[in-house]
Amino acid sequence: MAQKRILLGVTGGIAAYKSAELVRLLKKAGHSVQVVMTGGAEAFVMPLTFQALSGEPVRTSLLDPEAEAGMGHIELAKWAELVLVAPASANFMARLANGMADDLLTTVCCATEAPIVLAPAMNQAMWANARTRRNLRLLEEDGQISLWGPDAGDQACGDTGPGRMLEARAIADRVDAPARQVLAGQVVVVTAGPTREAIDPVRYISNHSSGKMGYALAAAARDAGARVILISGPVSLPAPAGVEVRSATSARDMLSATENAVEDGCDIFVATAAVADYRVESEAGQKMKKTREELSLTLVRNPDILATIAGRPRPPFTVGFAAETNDVEKYALDKLERKNLDMIVANDVSRPDTGFNSDRNTVTVFWPGGSEALATDTKTALAARLIDLIAARQHHDDTATPRKKTNSRIKR
Ligand code: PMT
């Protein structure tokens, strides 16, 4: 494990308390750590805490002649082999995205040639806010910067959703084992969320899928180096930075968007979407009136997107999900075989605390001849593990038999 010189930037947010533990873990792993705090961070944690843990003076000001006489801001920027900003607040990301250098931390970020990692932490509405999304896109386009997290779950303010800083242990582990680019150069297509099947112009049939599992997988595939196309049903999640999102409403829309994406070249297809199995045979052109005591709707089968893609002459490595309330393994194995899949991820959706619309999930992964149960975890953490498993199985299939399935034609 390479020991690095890490400049840890701490910005203003309640998650700053986790950064003290992060310094301890980084030091324990043998890294040299220098801490730079913004004014906002000082409101949450005393610089002395970081000084004691890092064994180095903590820098807080750009215009401190005494500090500049020691290691000036440019030397600090050159010293760092990694700039890690944890927590990275919305305000800090906005200033960074706009090239501001109005305090020590933004100045070091402008001056350094080292990779910069941001571990965002903010309220879920701030994370979803259009200005924050725009700043993320700018940061992404400019390069040099990677995003670790955020995680989703309960927030200090009482809200629930994406915006929690990753745990200190998860960040420290990633510093020591940077995300392996296991899908570098590959194209991954992911379906996510529910579909809506119209009854009339104002009513539809749908389900409780939030899209969280699929969005987490798309982000994990991106982190693993893939080009990712996310075919999304109607959800209220922000697009993951660096992922191309194509919207679809009905199952038939989703099928055609998926076929188009796969047609253009796709190495791995992951179907997390909860696609409606049936649609109303004929959608009413106008809002239906409640003139009758009883109403019967004739439902007809929707096309199966997953089976369609897996049944192509040269299919990508195809991964299905199975949402079951009972006999999870039996039904999952049946789908694996019947739909001719390379892998299926089974989740027991009978539990209210995992599966549909939850931030956590519990899954067992099956492939021909094997399986692995993954302990209950956040969808973000599970997605990273699933991407590793997918890459390993894809590699195994490629080396075990001459590849029947290579479909990528995208030139990058
Ligand atoms: O979105 P979240 O709130 O995060 O919840 C995640 C999830 C529970 C929706 C997800 O983890 C999950 O299990 N997705 C699959 C849900 C589902 O529809 O399962 P199924 O057993 O009905 O379908 C099996 C597979 O066939 C799935 O990969 C599905 O995408 C696919 N399918 C199903 C029907 C159809 N017409 N076309 C399909 O492609």
Side-chain angles (χ1 to χ4, degrees):
M1 185 180 67
Q3 283 154 358
K4 296 193 183 80
R5 296 189 302 270
I6 299 174
L7 188 140
L8 176 69
V10 184
T11 74
I14 182 61
Y17 80 91
K18 292 188 190 175
S19 307
E21 173 65 0
L22 179 57
V23 175
R24 195 187 69 76
L25 292 170
L26 293 173
K27 288 290 290 180
K28 197 169 164 216
H31 302 293
S32 306
V33 182
Q34 299 240 21
V35 178
V36 170
M37 298 177 77
T38 63
E42 285 184 82
F44 288 91
V45 185
M46 296 276 286
L48 200 56
T49 307
F50 290 111
Q51 183 175 312
L53 290 165
S54 67
E56 301 285 345
V58 171
R59 299 284 305 269
T60 54
S61 168
L62 178 60
L63 305 173
D64 176 350
E66 209 174 297
E68 287 291 305
M71 194 185 275
H73 62 278
I74 299 295
E75 279 167 274
L76 208 51
K78 286 187 176 150
W79 173 85
E81 290 174 311
L82 171 70
V83 176
L84 172 59
V85 183
S89 64
N91 176 52
F92 175 76
M93 294 200 307
R95 290 189 292 125
L96 193 60
N98 287 288
M100 294 181 74
D102 58 350
D103 66 2
L104 181 59
L105 188 55
T106 47
T107 305
V108 168
C109 286
C110 276
T112 190
E113 287 177 6
I116 300 173
V117 167
L118 306 180
M122 66 197 71
N123 166 268
Q124 52 84 25
M126 292 172 74
W127 177 248
N129 181 278
R131 265 89 57 200
T132 307
R133 311 311 302 170
R134 185 190 56 210
N135 291 330
L136 280 169
R137 278 196 302 278
L138 285 176
L139 291 167
E140 171 97 3
E141 279 164 24
D142 290 345
Q144 193 187 10
I145 290 176
S146 318
L147 216 59
W148 290 0
D151 217 334
D154 294 340
Q155 303 201 304
C157 56
D159 281 2
T160 303
R164 280 165 59 103
M165 187 171 100
L166 292 179
E167 294 303 326
R169 164 61 66 194
I171 297 175
D173 284 353
R174 249 172 114 162
V175 168
D176 290 334
R180 287 174 304 121
Q181 299 278 290
V182 286
L183 299 183
Q186 303 219 37
V187 180
V188 177
V189 175
V190 180
T191 64
T195 63
R196 285 182 186 168
E197 310 300 327
I199 297 172
D200 69 11
V202 297
R203 303 179 178 93
Y204 56 81
I205 299 171
S206 192
N207 59 63
H208 294 295
S209 170
S210 62
K212 288 176 186 172
M213 190 70 241
Y215 275 57
L217 268 160
R222 172 206 61 200
D223 290 346
R227 171 176 176 239
V228 185
I229 298 164
L230 176 59
I231 317 283
S232 177
V235 299
S236 51
L237 298 173
V243 167
E244 184 182 336
V245 181
R246 300 183 188 171
S247 302
T249 303
S250 68
R252 287 183 296 172
D253 290 344
M254 193 174 270
L255 173 65
S256 95
T258 305
E259 284 189 302
N260 285 342
V262 171
E263 192 59 39
D264 287 344
C266 164
D267 300 282
I268 297 172
F269 173 56
V270 188
T272 62
V275 184
D277 290 319
Y278 292 89
R279 68 177 182 279
V280 177
E281 186 174 37
S282 44
E283 177 189 345
Q286 294 182 324
K287 184 182 171 194
M288 292 164 69
K289 295 290 165 202
K290 45 179 183 293
T291 47
R292 285 171 285 176
E293 274 311 307
E294 285 186 0
L295 174 69
S296 297
L297 295 172
T298 303
L299 301 182
V300 293
R301 277 288 283 272
N302 263 331
D304 191 309
I305 302 167
L306 181 60
T308 307
I309 300 301
R312 287 170 68 92
R314 283 151 53 85
F317 184 92
T318 304
V319 182
F321 268 68
E324 307 294 350
T325 52
N326 56 291
D327 297 318
V328 179
E329 178 169 347
K330 181 173 141 229
Y331 288 129
L333 287 174
D334 171 61
K335 279 174 190 160
L336 180 71
E337 198 181 323
R338 195 163 34 82
K339 298 194 185 190
N340 189 26
L341 308 178
D342 295 294
M343 189 181 260
I344 192 147
V345 183
N347 34 200
D348 181 347
V349 290
S350 63
R351 292 173 50 175
D353 56 331
T354 65
F356 277 102
N357 202 15
S358 158
D359 291 319
R360 299 168 77 75
N361 210 354
T362 312
V363 302
T364 304
V365 189
F366 298 93
W367 56 88
S371 69
E372 184 170 331
L374 306 184
T376 304
D377 210 330
T378 61
K379 286 180 176 169
T380 308
L382 283 174
R385 181 73 197 107
L386 286 171
I387 289 297
D388 274 348
L389 261 178
I390 289 170
R393 289 307 308 165
Q394 184 203 30
H395 179 70
H396 172 272
D397 287 2
D398 275 351
T399 47
T401 49
R403 184 112 175 113
K404 61 175 168 76
K405 301 177 168 188
T406 171
N407 192 36
S408 181
R409 276 182 275 113
I410 291 274
K411 317 250 173 335
R412 289 151 88 12

